[in-house]
Amino acid sequence: MEWATRYGLTDVEQVTHFDPQEMIEPGDIVIGTLPINLVAEVNRLGGTYQHLTMNLPAEARGKELTAADMERYCAQLEPFFAASQDYARAEVLVGEWDNFNGEYGPERDYAVRSTINTEGVILKLLGENTDTRNMHIERIPGAWRINISMDPEETTMQVSLRDDGQILYE
């Protein structure tokens, strides 16, 4: 905890048993040395994970470290994202086309958030003063269904791309 305070972290809570289902809400930040399955669960629940990494020599492993020890071993936080094969969530920053340079410029503060599971994907454009609809893409028998709406049950803006090449507007 002393190292976290020195590192500039405030409002930090140390826990002895971590249960993501009971503790994580979207936007929460988790810091630690968690196993990969718990990192994936933190990310699935909308949290972010910062892994505590150090250049720890063999003789220091398994011992309680002081803040000074952690600084000596170059302790730092690194963001990690993990996902299971059945579920993934990611945010990708997007820019705006720059005609002068002929490339995308990352100076625009926009992101595309994707949430993926075995049934399909939801895409959402995020940014300042941007109120967009979700795009739901799901696999249905013989086709991919694309639905641009606030709700996957709403079908006012829906199209199906069939495996045989036909496009159906539903």
Side-chain angles (χ1 to χ4, degrees):
M1 293 296 285
E2 182 185 343
W3 178 84
T5 303
R6 286 186 187 182
Y7 200 74
L9 301 173
T10 60
D11 195 27
V12 177
E13 178 185 347
Q14 186 173 2
V15 297
T16 56
H17 176 72
F18 181 66
D19 182 354
Q21 290 291 332
E22 296 292 323
M23 304 170 98
I24 297 300
E25 294 186 17
D28 284 352
I29 299 171
V30 175
I31 297 168
T33 57
L34 295 178
I36 194 75
N37 62 309
L38 292 180
V39 175
E41 187 65 5
V42 166
N43 295 145
R44 187 187 73 77
L45 293 169
T48 58
Y49 177 70
Q50 298 277 327
H51 192 75
L52 177 61
T53 60
M54 290 183 268
N55 298 326
L56 208 57
E59 63 272 8
R61 295 177 196 265
K63 297 180 180 176
E64 191 72 28
L65 301 175
T66 66
D69 291 335
M70 293 174 71
E71 287 174 3
R72 182 172 46 256
Y73 299 133
C74 304
Q76 64 180 353
L77 297 176
E78 293 184 69
F80 276 83
F81 179 85
S84 71
Q85 158 180 326
D86 296 331
Y87 182 89
R89 182 177 182 151
E91 239 173 67
V92 178
L93 292 176
V94 293
E96 186 173 85
W97 185 258
D98 183 342
N99 285 325
F100 182 76
N101 292 317
E103 61 186 22
Y104 278 99
E107 51 280 336
R108 296 301 298 240
D109 191 21
Y110 294 107
V112 175
R113 174 180 292 154
S114 62
T115 305
I116 305 166
N117 62 29
T118 56
E119 297 173 7
V121 63
I122 298 172
L123 302 174
K124 179 148 183 99
L125 177 64
L126 307 169
E128 186 177 325
N129 300 321
T130 305
D131 184 21
T132 62
R133 296 176 179 260
N134 292 338
M135 179 185 293
H136 301 265
I137 303 172
E138 64 180 325
R139 183 69 183 164
I140 58 174
W144 286 97
R145 179 183 293 149
I146 301 172
N147 179 359
I148 303 172
S149 68
M150 296 301 231
D151 180 345
E153 304 302 319
E154 173 63 49
T155 59
T156 55
M157 300 178 73
Q158 185 168 285
V159 62
S160 292
L161 307 173
R162 291 183 25 171
D163 292 343
D164 64 9
Q166 289 186 328
I167 298 174
L168 303 175
Y169 297 94
E170 302 172 20

